[in-house]
Amino acid sequence: MLIYGAGGHAKVVASILLASGVQVTGIFDDNWRHATLRGYDFLCDYNAGYFPAQPLVIAIGNNHDRRKVAEKISHSLGQAIHPSAMIDATTRVGPGIVIVHNAVIQADCRVGNHVIVNTAAIIDHDCIVGDFAHIGPGATLCGDVCVGECTLVGAGSVVLPGISIGKECVIGAGSIVVSDVPDYAKVAGNPARIIY
Ligand SMILES: CC(C)(COP(=O)(O)OP(=O)(O)OC[C@H]1O[C@@H](n2cnc3c(N)ncnc32)[C@H](O)[C@@H]1OP(=O)(O)O)[C@@H](O)C(=O)NCCC(=O)NCCS
């Protein structure tokens, strides 16, 4: 497996792959001289000609940056799913997904491409999570929640059942989301309100 990104989130992805028994063949990073993920022999700028048969996971925590990279790569997409994560058999997850240690995704969810379900996050039944979203560490989506493309649900947040969150939103860490959130909104607090 190849990893694109060599910062903090990439360390987590490398840890997941190690625990899964998947060998990391190489790391790409646009700023590789400043990489903090170390210990791999092969570290350089992205090059579509390097290891073209190997799948790749984009290990960049920022949703917009991850989407930009996805638009330019030509490798096939892999997945990084830690063995401690629980994904119900009825749930579908997309290519490029990263599911971190102890995350749980319950029945009949649809989780899009390049989504991050971070450490110990919980996605309960029938949720829909759009491409490039990030469900932060310890966040909980109750049942029937929709999260739009490229939205960040901050660490430790709780989204109540049936709530719909638009695309490219930011839900502040520790928020309790009790009503729908429009596209591009940044909300925080309990109950979560638009901060600007
Ligand atoms: C919500 C958030 C994006 C706001 O960041 P920001 O745009 O830099 O905004 P500021 O820090 O200037 O805060 C703006 C206001 O919102 C408040 N605020 C910020 N984050 C808040 C939060 N999580 N809960 C409640 N209020 C919050 C600030 O106190 C400030 O209030 P004030 O105007 O009365 O002083 C950020 O604080 C946050 O929670 N990010 C989530 C990070 C995360 O969980 N990442 C997971 C990946 S590891």
Side-chain angles (χ1 to χ4, degrees):
M1 184 83 76
L2 300 163
I3 298 178
Y4 196 127
H9 181 57
K11 293 177 187 174
V12 175
V13 171
S15 163
I16 294 168
L17 295 175
L18 182 67
S20 311
V22 177
Q23 198 198 339
V24 177
T25 317
I27 317 275
F28 295 120
D29 194 286
D30 302 337
N31 206 6
W32 58 269
R33 285 182 183 80
H34 301 285
T36 59
L37 172 61
R38 299 200 172 274
Y40 294 89
D41 292 337
F42 196 88
L43 171 64
C44 63
D45 287 336
Y46 180 70
N47 185 322
Y50 292 162
F51 307 108
Q54 287 272 322
L56 178 151
V57 173
I58 305 172
I60 297 173
N62 181 284
N63 295 341
H64 295 90
D65 292 347
R66 197 163 64 258
R67 186 166 61 182
K68 268 190 217 146
V69 167
E71 284 163 3
K72 74 171 186 181
I73 59 164
S74 55
H75 284 79
S76 64
L77 298 176
Q79 297 179 325
I81 301 177
H82 193 270
S84 65
M86 198 295 290
I87 305 170
D88 189 81
T90 57
T91 273
R92 276 198 245 132
V93 299
I97 194 158
V98 172
I99 304 182
V100 183
H101 311 53
N102 291 324
V104 175
I105 310 179
Q106 286 291 2
D108 282 328
C109 292
R110 301 286 172 265
V111 182
N113 305 351
H114 299 285
V115 170
I116 301 169
V117 184
N118 219 321
T119 312
I122 295 172
I123 300 179
D124 218 304
H125 62 89
D126 297 296
C127 287
I128 298 173
V129 179
D131 297 344
F132 302 102
H134 178 172
I135 312 302
T140 299
L141 307 184
C142 297
D144 282 307
V145 164
C146 285
V147 173
E149 179 173 332
C150 234
T151 282
L152 167 66
V153 178
S157 301
V158 176
V159 184
L160 266 52
I163 295 293
S164 191
I165 299 174
K167 64 180 175 183
E168 304 195 26
C169 296
V170 178
I171 311 298
S175 300
I176 310 294
V177 183
V178 302
S179 54
D180 289 354
V181 177
D183 293 347
Y184 309 108
K186 193 178 273 192
V187 305
N190 176 11
R193 296 191 197 288
I194 292 179
I195 53 174
Y196 60 84

